[in-house]
Amino acid sequence: MADAGRLSARCSAALRHPAAAPLATLAAGAAGSAYLYGTDPHESGHWLPRCPFRLVTGLLCPACGGTRMVYDLMHGHLAQAWLDNRVLLLASPPALALLARWAWEGLRGRAWRPRLGTRGVAGVLGIAVAWTVLRNVVG
């Protein structure tokens, strides 16, 4: 019984380690990417999540086209990825840099979280709303 308690304590400590969350995020992203690489989201009939916002409203959300964009990037089709979702494509490098920093700091044993101030949150929301309106009005 004492061994089970020690094992439980070790598992609990490992899950609290600063690298646990970023490494789990990277592992989930790698698994999803492996599936997506062989599954063309431009064709129907695949098991891929559908956008709940679009299902309910019939409108494109700020991230609609993101799955197709990632597929196209993985296959070297940059022009098609641009057409799938321009804003998400432009936001990808900074987002990946933040993920890399989160993982790096976690592996060094430090907890790290990016901080967005009020202006940053307002900016991100403003861009998301403007992109949603633009892509649904212009087409």
Side-chain angles (χ1 to χ4, degrees):
M1 193 69 166
D3 290 336
R6 274 186 253 142
L7 179 61
S8 176
R10 267 194 230 145
C11 287
S12 180
L15 291 175
R16 285 192 309 265
H17 191 278
L23 292 178
T25 301
L26 287 168
S33 295
Y35 176 76
L36 182 60
Y37 188 82
T39 306
D40 188 351
H42 296 282
E43 299 175 5
S44 61
H46 298 292
W47 186 87
L48 290 170
R50 301 209 36 208
C51 176
F53 182 80
R54 189 163 188 190
L55 285 173
V56 171
T57 66
L59 301 171
L60 298 170
C61 80
C64 278
T67 304
R68 292 186 306 273
M69 180 200 74
V70 171
Y71 174 86
D72 290 331
L73 284 176
M74 287 192 296
H75 289 84
H77 305 166
L78 186 59
Q80 185 60 45
W82 176 256
L83 294 175
D84 291 332
N85 193 318
R86 292 162 181 82
V87 170
L88 203 54
L89 183 63
L90 294 173
S92 295
L96 290 172
L98 289 173
L99 177 60
R101 169 97 189 265
W102 184 33
W104 176 254
E105 294 297 338
L107 290 170
R108 295 177 74 196
R110 295 188 249 184
W112 180 81
R113 288 193 177 96
R115 304 275 187 238
L116 260 184
T118 306
R119 284 185 178 163
V121 171
V124 168
L125 289 175
I127 290 169
V129 169
W131 175 234
T132 302
V133 170
L134 182 69
R135 69 190 315 206
N136 285 292
V137 171
V138 175

